Amino acid sequence: MTTMIAALARLRPVRRTRTTNARRRESLTALGMATPAVVLLIVFLVVPVALAFALAFTDARLISPTPARFVGLRNFTQLFQDPVFFKSLRNTVYFAVVVVPLQAGLALVLALLVNAKVRGVNFFRTVYFLPVVTSMVVVSLLWTFLYRQDGLVNRVISGLTLGAVDGPDWLGDPATAMPAIILMSVWQGVGFHMIIWLAGLQTIPAELYEAADLDGAGRWDRFRHVTWPGLRATRTFVLVTITIAAFSLFTQIRVMTQGGPLDSTTTVVHQAVHTGYDQQQTAYAAAISLVFFVLVLTVSGVQRFLTREKD
């Protein structure tokens, strides 16, 4: 008995050593697999943010023979006195306020429609999702031709009114340029969020709907008391992603209007890119980017707080 106990005592350190080595190998393997992602995050996220923060307090230019000098808060003082910046901010907020509820609501309606178990539903899912996989540059160029004064949109308006109404210059009129871009943006992005809503709908247990039917609930009652509460996490994700995408509006503006006419479609991101690359004012563009970062972070935080799960 004494000999067996002694043998077991000698085996315990060996087992501990093997377990420690196995855990060490697992840790090294995990570290090796995570290293590429960490390096990419540092190179393309951490370093640019740190560089933008540093440049915002200098007078750096994209191409300049003189080195950058520290100027303190001069860029931010100039920014908050810039009327173009406030136009860009107003246009960005206007775009987000309209697009977020419109795109989220339309995507939810489409998800409810394609969630039905009927023949041919996969065809409609594909059709609704097709604009999402198309390049935004291609979509913007296509809609630019559609919005021309002799384009398809105005031809349809003229045909429906028997020539009594001529469509406006959609992208050349300050009153219609931003609404035209909003319509195109919603059309292009609604399919992606339809898929997100659809995934959320399919996680709701069917037993809840069966219980609602037994209680005599109608369609609106089933949506209000079963579907909508079951989409709590999904709607938070949808609202946050649409808001971030709306505040990041750039490609459509760059391709379709270049911020015009009369700065009626310029946005914060477009102004930052235009200032940094076209005008080569790198430091001023970095200041705009920092203000934009704080703006998006604040709005996302408020949304997250308002849509949190309450005890």
Side-chain angles (χ1 to χ4, degrees):
M1 188 65 180
T2 305
T3 305
M4 185 178 297
I5 293 174
L8 290 174
R10 287 194 297 271
L11 287 174
R12 286 177 182 173
V14 176
R15 291 178 179 174
R16 290 176 181 174
T17 302
R18 291 177 178 175
T19 302
T20 303
N21 291 335
R23 291 178 177 175
R24 185 179 293 112
R25 286 194 297 271
E26 291 179 357
S27 299
L28 291 175
T29 301
L31 181 61
M33 297 178 68
T35 297
V38 173
V39 171
L40 290 175
L41 284 174
I42 292 175
V43 173
F44 293 104
L45 182 63
V46 178
V47 172
V49 170
L51 185 60
F53 185 84
L55 289 176
F57 298 94
T58 68
D59 61 351
R61 297 183 62 86
L62 188 62
I63 300 176
S64 176
T66 59
R69 295 179 296 108
F70 179 77
V71 295
L73 298 176
R74 190 178 72 184
N75 290 322
F76 295 95
T77 303
Q78 179 183 350
L79 178 63
F80 290 113
Q81 295 175 351
D82 186 357
V84 177
F85 171 72
F86 286 101
K87 279 189 177 181
S88 301
L89 185 61
R90 183 188 60 193
N91 293 334
T92 303
V93 173
Y94 167 47
F95 182 86
V97 167
V98 176
V99 166
V100 172
L102 182 61
Q103 185 168 314
L106 182 57
L108 178 57
V109 171
L110 293 178
L112 291 171
L113 292 175
V114 301
N115 192 41
K117 296 180 180 179
V118 296
R119 182 176 298 180
V121 69
N122 290 330
F123 169 76
F124 290 101
R125 291 180 183 179
T126 304
V127 170
Y128 295 149
F129 190 75
L130 190 60
V132 179
V133 298
T134 306
S135 169
M136 179 57 79
V137 175
V138 175
V139 171
S140 299
L141 289 173
L142 173 63
W143 279 76
T144 300
F145 288 109
L146 293 178
Y147 280 139
R148 291 174 59 179
Q149 285 188 298
D150 58 347
L152 180 61
V153 174
N154 284 347
R155 288 181 180 271
V156 170
I157 294 175
S158 178
L160 291 176
T161 60
L162 301 179
V165 177
D166 293 328
D169 184 6
W170 293 97
L171 299 179
D173 188 344
T176 59
M178 184 58 79
I181 292 175
I182 288 174
L183 177 62
M184 185 273 291
S185 301
V186 171
W187 174 85
Q188 193 274 338
V190 71
F192 173 76
H193 294 97
M194 177 200 70
I195 296 298
I196 303 300
W197 283 120
L198 183 61
L201 289 172
Q202 294 180 349
T203 61
I204 301 175
E207 293 81 4
L208 296 178
Y209 290 105
E210 294 175 359
D213 291 336
L214 291 175
D215 291 338
R219 290 185 178 181
W220 171 249
D221 291 328
R222 292 203 312 168
F223 176 81
R224 180 183 176 186
H225 298 290
V226 178
T227 304
W228 189 244
L231 294 173
R232 181 187 298 273
T234 305
R235 67 173 179 259
T236 300
F237 176 79
V238 168
L239 289 176
V240 171
T241 53
I242 294 179
T243 301
I244 293 176
F247 275 98
S248 304
L249 175 65
F250 170 73
T251 305
Q252 302 94 303
I253 304 299
R254 189 72 170 183
V255 174
M256 300 176 72
T257 63
Q258 294 80 45
L262 302 177
D263 295 322
S264 61
T265 60
T266 187
T267 61
V268 176
V269 176
H270 180 268
Q271 186 190 7
V273 174
H274 175 69
T275 302
Y277 289 96
D278 298 339
Q279 299 179 351
Q280 299 186 7
Q281 300 180 25
T282 309
Y284 191 56
I288 298 175
S289 300
L290 281 183
V291 173
F292 171 73
F293 172 75
V294 173
L295 175 66
V296 174
L297 185 65
T298 302
V299 172
S300 299
V302 171
Q303 278 190 330
R304 189 76 178 99
F305 175 78
L306 294 176
T307 57
R308 73 191 189 283
E309 293 188 11
K310 299 179 181 179
D311 299 331

